[in-house]
Amino acid sequence: MALTESTVKKILNSELDAIEFSLDGLSAEESQHVRIKSKSSKVIKNVKYLISEKIKNNFLKPTISIATTQFVRNSDKGNIPTQAPIPNWLFSEFGDDVTYKTGFALRWPHMGNTENFELLETIGELKNECDNVISTITVRADGTVVPCCYDLTSKLNMGNVNSNSLLNIWNGEKYKKLRAAISSKTPYSICSTCAVISPPVYLIPTWTHELKFIKRGN
């Protein structure tokens, strides 16, 4: 939503390797329903401008991706695909100009009200490893470092880059204790309900009949 012309110029002239934008569901309208206060048409227009400027100026980077979260529908309950498909509406907008990262909507740690969803639980064992805490790092707009993007409400504050170096935070005691807890299968409460180490719980939307414009893709 904030991808202005000046921001596009800065992105293309930076050393950024990859950038990712999120558009979800089976239609632009459903994406707006999920991402409150967003406007799909504006996001699409801005991303297309970034693509056109990248091509016009012969930039090889950044790689541009569309991350799209899809919902398991009631009809899928008995046979959930191993990979969520690329929805037709997104491919018709961007074609092969972007790469697509698809996944299914899962209950996330410390998720609040779930009245708009039916929860489909699965069976499995708790894992003792999480790639997010050893290979990635997430920094909020205010500089707060959290273990991963699934900590949507910033429950685990690992430090702040405005007052400490990223390297010191990464190698600090908070991270060491977090990794040890996961490794010993005694994860923090926020991690114990995360689909990365626990059996996933899929979100089935209950609004399908309310949003008349939603149509199933192929």
Side-chain angles (χ1 to χ4, degrees):
M1 292 290 290
L3 196 64
T4 62
E5 290 187 16
S6 61
T7 303
V8 165
K9 185 177 180 179
K10 291 177 182 178
I11 289 171
L12 292 176
N13 286 283
S14 71
E15 296 182 2
L16 191 68
D17 290 313
I19 190 167
E20 185 176 302
F21 303 95
S22 295
L23 289 161
D24 304 317
L26 295 176
S27 68
E29 293 87 352
E30 187 172 31
S31 186
Q32 288 179 178
H33 185 72
V34 173
R35 297 191 171 272
I36 299 169
K37 294 185 179 181
S38 71
K39 188 175 182 180
S40 298
S41 59
K42 183 176 181 180
V43 176
I44 291 168
K45 178 183 177 182
N46 290 350
V47 175
K48 285 184 175 180
Y49 177 72
L50 173 63
I51 294 169
S52 66
E53 288 298 295
K54 176 186 172 183
I55 294 172
K56 184 173 72 175
N57 292 284
N58 295 315
F59 284 106
L60 297 178
K61 294 181 179 181
T63 298
I64 301 171
S65 300
I66 299 295
T68 179
T69 299
Q70 297 301 309
F71 292 98
V72 169
R73 310 286 168 166
N74 278 310
S75 59
D76 299 324
K77 279 185 180 180
N79 186 25
I80 300 173
T82 56
Q83 182 64 45
I86 300 170
N88 292 342
W89 75 277
L90 282 181
F91 193 80
S92 67
E93 291 286 358
F94 298 105
D96 294 321
D97 289 334
V98 301
T99 58
Y100 299 90
K101 298 181 179 180
T102 65
F104 285 112
L106 304 172
R107 182 183 64 187
W108 61 84
H110 283 273
M111 184 175 178
N113 191 342
T114 59
E115 66 178 11
N116 290 325
F117 303 98
E118 177 186 343
L119 303 181
L120 179 61
E121 299 186 8
T122 60
I123 299 173
E125 295 184 0
L126 187 69
K127 299 175 183 177
N128 68 342
E129 58 182 0
C130 172
D131 186 62
N132 286 322
V133 299
I134 60 175
S135 299
T136 74
I137 198 163
T138 299
V139 184
R140 299 293 186 212
D142 65 355
T144 300
V145 175
V146 293
C148 70
C149 62
Y150 295 120
D151 185 3
L152 297 179
T153 53
S154 300
K155 295 293 184 182
L156 292 180
N157 185 338
M158 312 304 285
N160 193 293
V161 295
N162 293 316
S163 56
N164 202 348
S165 74
L166 199 59
L167 186 60
N168 285 341
I169 295 172
W170 180 253
N171 292 323
E173 286 301 313
K174 288 185 177 182
Y175 257 111
K176 289 179 181 178
K177 290 180 180 179
L178 173 64
R179 294 175 184 128
I182 294 173
S183 181
S184 62
K185 289 191 175 183
T186 56
Y188 296 174
S189 59
I190 187 174
C191 298
S192 65
T193 56
C194 178
V196 175
I197 65 171
S198 66
V201 177
Y202 294 94
L203 301 178
I204 300 177
T206 57
W207 63 68
T208 306
H209 299 297
E210 299 171 15
L211 302 183
K212 303 297 184 180
F213 44 73
I214 295 175
K215 295 181 180 180
R216 289 301 305 272
N218 293 331

mmCIF file with all atom_site columns, all heavy atoms in Angstrom, residues 53-65:
data_model
loop_
_atom_site.group_PDB
_atom_site.id
_atom_site.type_symbol
_atom_site.label_atom_id
_atom_site.label_alt_id
_atom_site.label_comp_id
_atom_site.label_asym_id
_atom_site.label_entity_id
_atom_site.label_seq_id
_atom_site.pdbx_PDB_ins_code
_atom_site.Cartn_x
_atom_site.Cartn_y
_atom_site.Cartn_z
_atom_site.occupancy
_atom_site.B_iso_or_equiv
_atom_site.pdbx_formal_charge
_atom_site.auth_seq_id
_atom_site.auth_comp_id
_atom_site.auth_asym_id
_atom_site.auth_atom_id
_atom_site.pdbx_PDB_model_num
ATOM 1   N N   . GLU A 1 53 ? 9.172  -0.759  -13.905 1.00 0.00 ? 53 GLU A N   1
ATOM 2   C CA  . GLU A 1 53 ? 10.389 0.034   -13.720 1.00 0.00 ? 53 GLU A CA  1
ATOM 3   C C   . GLU A 1 53 ? 11.627 -0.863  -13.665 1.00 0.00 ? 53 GLU A C   1
ATOM 4   O O   . GLU A 1 53 ? 12.690 -0.496  -14.175 1.00 0.00 ? 53 GLU A O   1
ATOM 5   C CB  . GLU A 1 53 ? 10.282 0.868   -12.440 1.00 0.00 ? 53 GLU A CB  1
ATOM 6   C CG  . GLU A 1 53 ? 9.312  2.034   -12.534 1.00 0.00 ? 53 GLU A CG  1
ATOM 7   C CD  . GLU A 1 53 ? 9.741  3.040   -13.590 1.00 0.00 ? 53 GLU A CD  1
ATOM 8   O OE1 . GLU A 1 53 ? 10.802 3.670   -13.419 1.00 0.00 ? 53 GLU A OE1 1
ATOM 9   O OE2 . GLU A 1 53 ? 9.002  3.194   -14.599 1.00 0.00 ? 53 GLU A OE2 1
ATOM 10  N N   . LYS A 1 54 ? 11.480 -2.007  -13.105 1.00 0.00 ? 54 LYS A N   1
ATOM 11  C CA  . LYS A 1 54 ? 12.588 -2.960  -13.059 1.00 0.00 ? 54 LYS A CA  1
ATOM 12  C C   . LYS A 1 54 ? 12.967 -3.401  -14.474 1.00 0.00 ? 54 LYS A C   1
ATOM 13  O O   . LYS A 1 54 ? 14.146 -3.437  -14.837 1.00 0.00 ? 54 LYS A O   1
ATOM 14  C CB  . LYS A 1 54 ? 12.209 -4.174  -12.201 1.00 0.00 ? 54 LYS A CB  1
ATOM 15  C CG  . LYS A 1 54 ? 13.269 -5.267  -12.166 1.00 0.00 ? 54 LYS A CG  1
ATOM 16  C CD  . LYS A 1 54 ? 12.774 -6.504  -11.432 1.00 0.00 ? 54 LYS A CD  1
ATOM 17  C CE  . LYS A 1 54 ? 13.769 -7.654  -11.574 1.00 0.00 ? 54 LYS A CE  1
ATOM 18  N NZ  . LYS A 1 54 ? 13.292 -8.897  -10.941 1.00 0.00 ? 54 LYS A NZ  1
ATOM 19  N N   . ILE A 1 55 ? 11.953 -3.713  -15.277 1.00 0.00 ? 55 ILE A N   1
ATOM 20  C CA  . ILE A 1 55 ? 12.196 -4.154  -16.653 1.00 0.00 ? 55 ILE A CA  1
ATOM 21  C C   . ILE A 1 55 ? 12.758 -3.011  -17.496 1.00 0.00 ? 55 ILE A C   1
ATOM 22  O O   . ILE A 1 55 ? 13.713 -3.179  -18.257 1.00 0.00 ? 55 ILE A O   1
ATOM 23  C CB  . ILE A 1 55 ? 10.888 -4.695  -17.274 1.00 0.00 ? 55 ILE A CB  1
ATOM 24  C CG1 . ILE A 1 55 ? 10.451 -5.974  -16.556 1.00 0.00 ? 55 ILE A CG1 1
ATOM 25  C CG2 . ILE A 1 55 ? 11.070 -4.952  -18.771 1.00 0.00 ? 55 ILE A CG2 1
ATOM 26  C CD1 . ILE A 1 55 ? 9.075  -6.471  -16.969 1.00 0.00 ? 55 ILE A CD1 1
ATOM 27  N N   . LYS A 1 56 ? 12.149 -1.827  -17.358 1.00 0.00 ? 56 LYS A N   1
ATOM 28  C CA  . LYS A 1 56 ? 12.565 -0.664  -18.151 1.00 0.00 ? 56 LYS A CA  1
ATOM 29  C C   . LYS A 1 56 ? 14.031 -0.299  -17.905 1.00 0.00 ? 56 LYS A C   1
ATOM 30  O O   . LYS A 1 56 ? 14.751 0.100   -18.825 1.00 0.00 ? 56 LYS A O   1
ATOM 31  C CB  . LYS A 1 56 ? 11.669 0.525   -17.833 1.00 0.00 ? 56 LYS A CB  1
ATOM 32  C CG  . LYS A 1 56 ? 11.976 1.765   -18.680 1.00 0.00 ? 56 LYS A CG  1
ATOM 33  C CD  . LYS A 1 56 ? 10.956 2.864   -18.450 1.00 0.00 ? 56 LYS A CD  1
ATOM 34  C CE  . LYS A 1 56 ? 11.136 3.506   -17.092 1.00 0.00 ? 56 LYS A CE  1
ATOM 35  N NZ  . LYS A 1 56 ? 10.224 4.669   -16.916 1.00 0.00 ? 56 LYS A NZ  1
ATOM 36  N N   . ASN A 1 57 ? 14.467 -0.456  -16.662 1.00 0.00 ? 57 ASN A N   1
ATOM 37  C CA  . ASN A 1 57 ? 15.835 -0.078  -16.303 1.00 0.00 ? 57 ASN A CA  1
ATOM 38  C C   . ASN A 1 57 ? 16.815 -1.247  -16.295 1.00 0.00 ? 57 ASN A C   1
ATOM 39  O O   . ASN A 1 57 ? 17.959 -1.108  -15.856 1.00 0.00 ? 57 ASN A O   1
ATOM 40  C CB  . ASN A 1 57 ? 15.836 0.599   -14.929 1.00 0.00 ? 57 ASN A CB  1
ATOM 41  C CG  . ASN A 1 57 ? 15.151 1.950   -14.954 1.00 0.00 ? 57 ASN A CG  1
ATOM 42  O OD1 . ASN A 1 57 ? 15.701 2.934   -15.426 1.00 0.00 ? 57 ASN A OD1 1
ATOM 43  N ND2 . ASN A 1 57 ? 13.915 1.999   -14.447 1.00 0.00 ? 57 ASN A ND2 1
ATOM 44  N N   . ASN A 1 58 ? 16.347 -2.408  -16.775 1.00 0.00 ? 58 ASN A N   1
ATOM 45  C CA  . ASN A 1 58 ? 17.200 -3.598  -16.907 1.00 0.00 ? 58 ASN A CA  1
ATOM 46  C C   . ASN A 1 58 ? 17.837 -4.030  -15.586 1.00 0.00 ? 58 ASN A C   1
ATOM 47  O O   . ASN A 1 58 ? 18.982 -4.468  -15.538 1.00 0.00 ? 58 ASN A O   1
ATOM 48  C CB  . ASN A 1 58 ? 18.312 -3.354  -17.946 1.00 0.00 ? 58 ASN A CB  1
ATOM 49  C CG  . ASN A 1 58 ? 17.757 -3.168  -19.336 1.00 0.00 ? 58 ASN A CG  1
ATOM 50  O OD1 . ASN A 1 58 ? 16.876 -3.911  -19.771 1.00 0.00 ? 58 ASN A OD1 1
ATOM 51  N ND2 . ASN A 1 58 ? 18.250 -2.163  -20.047 1.00 0.00 ? 58 ASN A ND2 1
ATOM 52  N N   . PHE A 1 59 ? 17.073 -3.918  -14.497 1.00 0.00 ? 59 PHE A N   1
ATOM 53  C CA  . PHE A 1 59 ? 17.562 -4.390  -13.208 1.00 0.00 ? 59 PHE A CA  1
ATOM 54  C C   . PHE A 1 59 ? 17.323 -5.897  -13.096 1.00 0.00 ? 59 PHE A C   1
ATOM 55  O O   . PHE A 1 59 ? 16.256 -6.393  -13.459 1.00 0.00 ? 59 PHE A O   1
ATOM 56  C CB  . PHE A 1 59 ? 16.842 -3.683  -12.060 1.00 0.00 ? 59 PHE A CB  1
ATOM 57  C CG  . PHE A 1 59 ? 17.297 -2.273  -11.823 1.00 0.00 ? 59 PHE A CG  1
ATOM 58  C CD1 . PHE A 1 59 ? 16.504 -1.201  -12.204 1.00 0.00 ? 59 PHE A CD1 1
ATOM 59  C CD2 . PHE A 1 59 ? 18.515 -2.013  -11.205 1.00 0.00 ? 59 PHE A CD2 1
ATOM 60  C CE1 . PHE A 1 59 ? 16.907 0.104   -11.985 1.00 0.00 ? 59 PHE A CE1 1
ATOM 61  C CE2 . PHE A 1 59 ? 18.931 -0.705  -10.981 1.00 0.00 ? 59 PHE A CE2 1
ATOM 62  C CZ  . PHE A 1 59 ? 18.129 0.357   -11.366 1.00 0.00 ? 59 PHE A CZ  1
ATOM 63  N N   . LEU A 1 60 ? 18.320 -6.611  -12.599 1.00 0.00 ? 60 LEU A N   1
ATOM 64  C CA  . LEU A 1 60 ? 18.165 -8.040  -12.367 1.00 0.00 ? 60 LEU A CA  1
ATOM 65  C C   . LEU A 1 60 ? 17.530 -8.315  -11.001 1.00 0.00 ? 60 LEU A C   1
ATOM 66  O O   . LEU A 1 60 ? 16.897 -9.347  -10.797 1.00 0.00 ? 60 LEU A O   1
ATOM 67  C CB  . LEU A 1 60 ? 19.525 -8.740  -12.451 1.00 0.00 ? 60 LEU A CB  1
ATOM 68  C CG  . LEU A 1 60 ? 20.225 -8.680  -13.816 1.00 0.00 ? 60 LEU A CG  1
ATOM 69  C CD1 . LEU A 1 60 ? 21.582 -9.369  -13.729 1.00 0.00 ? 60 LEU A CD1 1
ATOM 70  C CD2 . LEU A 1 60 ? 19.362 -9.323  -14.897 1.00 0.00 ? 60 LEU A CD2 1
ATOM 71  N N   . LYS A 1 61 ? 17.734 -7.393  -10.082 1.00 0.00 ? 61 LYS A N   1
ATOM 72  C CA  . LYS A 1 61 ? 17.183 -7.538  -8.736  1.00 0.00 ? 61 LYS A CA  1
ATOM 73  C C   . LYS A 1 61 ? 16.287 -6.346  -8.441  1.00 0.00 ? 61 LYS A C   1
ATOM 74  O O   . LYS A 1 61 ? 16.402 -5.296  -9.068  1.00 0.00 ? 61 LYS A O   1
ATOM 75  C CB  . LYS A 1 61 ? 18.326 -7.606  -7.707  1.00 0.00 ? 61 LYS A CB  1
ATOM 76  C CG  . LYS A 1 61 ? 19.207 -8.842  -7.834  1.00 0.00 ? 61 LYS A CG  1
ATOM 77  C CD  . LYS A 1 61 ? 20.275 -8.809  -6.747  1.00 0.00 ? 61 LYS A CD  1
ATOM 78  C CE  . LYS A 1 61 ? 21.173 -10.031 -6.818  1.00 0.00 ? 61 LYS A CE  1
ATOM 79  N NZ  . LYS A 1 61 ? 22.207 -10.012 -5.756  1.00 0.00 ? 61 LYS A NZ  1
ATOM 80  N N   . PRO A 1 62 ? 15.396 -6.518  -7.481  1.00 0.00 ? 62 PRO A N   1
ATOM 81  C CA  . PRO A 1 62 ? 15.164 -7.712  -6.667  1.00 0.00 ? 62 PRO A CA  1
ATOM 82  C C   . PRO A 1 62 ? 14.223 -8.697  -7.360  1.00 0.00 ? 62 PRO A C   1
ATOM 83  O O   . PRO A 1 62 ? 13.462 -8.326  -8.257  1.00 0.00 ? 62 PRO A O   1
ATOM 84  C CB  . PRO A 1 62 ? 14.500 -7.137  -5.409  1.00 0.00 ? 62 PRO A CB  1
ATOM 85  C CG  . PRO A 1 62 ? 13.713 -5.980  -5.941  1.00 0.00 ? 62 PRO A CG  1
ATOM 86  C CD  . PRO A 1 62 ? 14.551 -5.377  -7.026  1.00 0.00 ? 62 PRO A CD  1
ATOM 87  N N   . THR A 1 63 ? 14.280 -9.945  -6.936  1.00 0.00 ? 63 THR A N   1
ATOM 88  C CA  . THR A 1 63 ? 13.266 -10.909 -7.332  1.00 0.00 ? 63 THR A CA  1
ATOM 89  C C   . THR A 1 63 ? 11.950 -10.477 -6.686  1.00 0.00 ? 63 THR A C   1
ATOM 90  O O   . THR A 1 63 ? 11.913 -10.143 -5.503  1.00 0.00 ? 63 THR A O   1
ATOM 91  C CB  . THR A 1 63 ? 13.637 -12.320 -6.845  1.00 0.00 ? 63 THR A CB  1
ATOM 92  O OG1 . THR A 1 63 ? 14.860 -12.716 -7.463  1.00 0.00 ? 63 THR A OG1 1
ATOM 93  C CG2 . THR A 1 63 ? 12.544 -13.314 -7.185  1.00 0.00 ? 63 THR A CG2 1
ATOM 94  N N   . ILE A 1 64 ? 10.890 -10.463 -7.467  1.00 0.00 ? 64 ILE A N   1
ATOM 95  C CA  . ILE A 1 64 ? 9.589  -10.014 -6.956  1.00 0.00 ? 64 ILE A CA  1
ATOM 96  C C   . ILE A 1 64 ? 8.668  -11.227 -6.808  1.00 0.00 ? 64 ILE A C   1
ATOM 97  O O   . ILE A 1 64 ? 8.468  -11.990 -7.758  1.00 0.00 ? 64 ILE A O   1
ATOM 98  C CB  . ILE A 1 64 ? 8.962  -8.984  -7.907  1.00 0.00 ? 64 ILE A CB  1
ATOM 99  C CG1 . ILE A 1 64 ? 9.897  -7.767  -8.056  1.00 0.00 ? 64 ILE A CG1 1
ATOM 100 C CG2 . ILE A 1 64 ? 7.587  -8.544  -7.394  1.00 0.00 ? 64 ILE A CG2 1
ATOM 101 C CD1 . ILE A 1 64 ? 9.470  -6.795  -9.137  1.00 0.00 ? 64 ILE A CD1 1
ATOM 102 N N   . SER A 1 65 ? 8.136  -11.399 -5.610  1.00 0.00 ? 65 SER A N   1
ATOM 103 C CA  . SER A 1 65 ? 7.270  -12.539 -5.328  1.00 0.00 ? 65 SER A CA  1
ATOM 104 C C   . SER A 1 65 ? 5.921  -12.088 -4.797  1.00 0.00 ? 65 SER A C   1
ATOM 105 O O   . SER A 1 65 ? 5.814  -11.044 -4.149  1.00 0.00 ? 65 SER A O   1
ATOM 106 C CB  . SER A 1 65 ? 7.922  -13.466 -4.288  1.00 0.00 ? 65 SER A CB  1
ATOM 107 O OG  . SER A 1 65 ? 9.155  -13.962 -4.735  1.00 0.00 ? 65 SER A OG  1
#
